[in-house]
């Protein structure tokens, strides 16, 4: 049997492939991993790194998820039993500039994938959603809260969630885990794979890491007048390896395996802890021993003061919890950044 990983050469996808290849006690290690990615935000160099880390090969197919014919060929040629769907565009600011590309890739692309899955009777899916669907709810955020979106990127995640809930209602054979990620950071402990953003990073950690390594001059801290521990924004940062292991657990809970995820189920993947921007900067400084100049600038439009998860459901439903602490997250980010100062 095979597992299809869309977006598998990207940041979270590549770390998940490592965890899948390294296996868990309950996992059948003979499964073929098939990655489909159009390389719009990743490189095939990741494939060599995956082999270096795991000693195993994956099957890579360069294709766009919007191309139903290409997907149909993948399903015809491989005995796919479940899909982990990471492929998509993810930059909030860019999504307001080119919304149609976001709706095309994230929504239409997902519908194409679901059409082909239906045709081939593959009804087990893990989907990359985001804590952004919680809109302005007050933390800790739990899966029963009402959802909303404030930008086109968030809308695409919310629309796909609605599609998945409707699909599961229409056909009880579907088993779907909609994983709502909080803020993934860190890198694999080997230093061989990590986050590799194109251009100037939008997210805090890659920005701080590039300041520490001397690629960027100064961090801008977006606001120090929030009602938080030190006035700067608080987020629930989660190590990408913990997140990757959450996908393995989610896969094991789908209908083709244990069957504990019935229909479509939203599940938070976070630590349940909040960390401020200045706590991140200070921890990064201690670990890297690098200078991290920053200046306080006005709040970024649309940012909330505090966002963190209620992570209880992932514990009870999947038997998963985050294990790696902030020190590990930042040590691993620093190892990746300092050993690969210009990415791949
Ligand atoms: P990433 O950009 O590193 O990985 C996404 C991968 O999908 C890339 O390799 C890209 O080339 C590929 N891709 C994009 N559009 C495609 C298409 N139409 N067809 C085929 N491949 C395509 O991003 P990531 O951080 O690994 O995120 C993975 C998923 O998780 C995304 O759906 C993202 O929205 C979601 N997510 C990410 C975060 C985060 O902070 N990183 C948070 C919440 C949710
Ligand atoms: N942030 C910052 N400077 C930056 C990028 C981010 O001060 O250059 C802050 C941002 O205001 C938020 C936190 O860091 O409080 C995390 O932002 P990020 O964009 O990484 O993730 P978000 O939670 O917004 O998706």
């Amino acid at each position: 049997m095979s597992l299809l990983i869309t977006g598998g050469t990207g940041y979270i996808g590549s770390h998940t492939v490592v965890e899948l290849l390294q296996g868990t006690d309950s996992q059948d290690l003979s499964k073929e991993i098939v990655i489909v990615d159009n390389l719009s935000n990743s490189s095939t160099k990741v494939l060599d790194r995956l082999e270096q880390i795991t000693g195993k090969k994956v099957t890579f197919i360069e294709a766009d998820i919007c191309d139903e014919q290409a997907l149909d060929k993948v399903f015809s040629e491989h005995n796919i039993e479940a899909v982990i769907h990471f492929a998509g565009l993810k930059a909030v600011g860019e999504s307001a500039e080119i919304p149609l590309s976001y709706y095309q890739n994230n929504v239409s692309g997902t519908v194409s994938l679901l059409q082909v899955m239906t045709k081939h009777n593959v009804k087990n899916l893990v989907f990359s959603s985001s804590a952004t669907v919680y809109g302005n709810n007050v933390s800790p955020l739990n899966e029963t809260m009402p959802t909303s979106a404030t930008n086109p990127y968030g809308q695409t995640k919310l629309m796909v969630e609605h599609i998945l809930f409707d699909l599961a209602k229409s056909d009880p054979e579907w088993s779907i885990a909609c994983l709502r990620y909080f803020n993934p950071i860190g890198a694999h402990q080997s230093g061989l794979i990590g986050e590799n953003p194109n251009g100037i990073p939008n997210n805090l950690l890659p920005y701080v890491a590039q300041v520490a390594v001397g690629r960027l001059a100064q961090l801008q801290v977006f606001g120090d007048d929030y009602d938080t521990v030190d006035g700067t924004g608080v987020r629930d940062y989660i190590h990408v390896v913990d997140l990757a292991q959450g996908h393995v657990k989610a896969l094991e809970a789908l209908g083709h395996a244990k069957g504990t995820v019935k229909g479509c189920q939203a599940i938070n993947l976070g630590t349940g802890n909040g960390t401020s921007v200045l706590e991140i900067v200070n921890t990064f400084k201690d670990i890297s021993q690098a200078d991290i100049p920053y200046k306080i600038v006005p709040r970024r439009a649309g940012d909330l003061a505090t966002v963190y998860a209620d992570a209880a459901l992932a514990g009870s439903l999947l038997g998963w919890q985050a294990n790696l602490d902030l020190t590990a997250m930042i040590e691993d980010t620093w190892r990746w950044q300092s050993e690969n100062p210009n990415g791949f």
Side-chain angles (χ1 to χ4, degrees):
M1 296 300 278
S2 308
L3 297 171
L4 172 62
I5 319 293
T6 75
T9 43
Y11 173 46
I12 304 170
S14 58
H15 288 81
T16 301
V17 168
V18 168
E19 297 306 311
L20 288 167
L21 288 172
Q22 291 180 333
T24 62
D25 292 347
S26 54
Q27 208 195 325
D28 174 3
L29 295 177
S30 62
K31 279 182 190 139
E32 178 198 28
I33 303 285
V34 179
I35 293 178
V36 165
D37 200 299
N38 68 358
L39 302 176
S40 59
N41 197 35
S42 56
S43 149
T44 51
K45 288 183 190 152
V46 170
L47 301 170
D48 298 332
R49 301 283 177 100
L50 292 175
E51 196 178 337
Q52 242 178 293
I53 295 169
T54 65
K56 293 179 188 165
K57 279 192 187 303
V58 298
T59 303
F60 175 72
I61 297 158
E62 184 175 346
D64 196 298
I65 54 159
C66 300
D67 181 348
E68 275 187 41
Q69 267 183 333
L71 287 182
D72 191 52
K73 189 160 179 278
V74 173
F75 279 81
S76 299
E77 291 177 356
H78 301 270
N79 196 6
I80 311 277
E81 66 175 352
V83 178
I84 307 184
H85 177 34
F86 295 102
L89 302 177
K90 63 166 184 177
V92 171
E94 184 186 64
S95 77
E97 288 156 23
I98 48 167
L100 290 181
S101 297
Y102 275 70
Y103 289 111
Q104 173 75 22
N105 272 279
N106 295 7
V107 183
S108 302
T110 301
V111 172
S112 294
L113 173 66
L114 295 169
Q115 296 274 27
V116 177
M117 288 177 71
T118 305
K119 178 176 168 194
H120 291 268
N121 204 28
V122 178
K123 296 182 176 174
N124 295 288
L125 176 71
V126 177
F127 171 63
S128 298
S129 190
S130 165
T132 191
V133 302
Y134 286 115
N136 297 330
N137 284 295
V138 175
S139 293
L141 300 168
N142 75 62
E143 293 85 349
T144 64
M145 286 174 163
T147 50
S148 63
T150 52
N151 56 67
Y153 168 72
Q155 290 288 3
T156 67
K157 291 293 169 193
L158 202 49
M159 284 174 150
V160 171
E161 283 206 1
H162 288 310
I163 291 167
L164 296 176
F165 283 116
D166 286 345
L167 184 61
K169 256 187 250 159
S170 76
D171 175 353
E173 283 181 18
W174 279 93
S175 175
I176 303 172
C178 241
L179 302 180
R180 294 178 176 164
Y181 311 157
F182 282 69
N183 290 56
I185 64 169
H188 192 259
Q189 281 89 345
S190 63
L192 289 170
I193 55 172
E195 194 169 7
N196 197 23
N198 280 329
I200 299 196
N202 299 304
N203 294 113
L204 180 64
L205 259 292
Y207 205 109
V208 170
Q210 291 192 18
V211 171
V213 87
R215 253 172 92 178
L216 293 171
Q218 186 180 52
L219 172 72
Q220 298 193 317
V221 175
F222 298 139
D224 68 348
D225 56 352
Y226 288 107
D227 184 16
T228 60
V229 58
D230 55 22
T232 63
V234 165
R235 295 290 181 273
D236 185 341
Y237 297 96
I238 173 171
H239 197 300
V240 66
V241 171
D242 273 331
L243 191 71
Q245 287 168 359
H247 289 74
V248 177
K249 292 283 190 190
L251 194 65
E252 289 171 353
L254 296 184
H256 70 298
K258 289 184 194 151
T260 37
V261 166
K262 297 191 194 322
C264 179
Q265 178 75 56
I267 306 166
N268 288 341
L269 291 185
T271 66
N273 303 315
T275 305
S276 76
V277 176
L278 290 183
E279 285 168 343
I280 291 278
V281 171
N282 290 330
T283 310
F284 210 110
K285 223 186 251 179
D286 288 345
I287 288 171
S288 65
Q289 296 292 305
D291 195 21
I292 304 177
Y294 69 85
K295 87 169 170 207
I296 309 287
V297 300
R299 294 177 178 193
R300 183 171 66 179
D303 272 356
L304 296 175
T306 300
V307 180
Y308 62 93
D310 174 339
L313 184 65
S316 58
L317 196 64
L318 307 181
W320 172 90
Q321 65 173 34
N323 291 315
L324 297 165
D325 63 10
L326 191 66
T327 302
M329 296 182 215
I330 293 186
E331 278 175 355
D332 294 336
T333 302
W334 178 238
R335 185 178 308 107
W336 158 249
Q337 185 67 60
S338 51
E339 291 177 7
N340 306 269
N342 297 310
F344 287 123

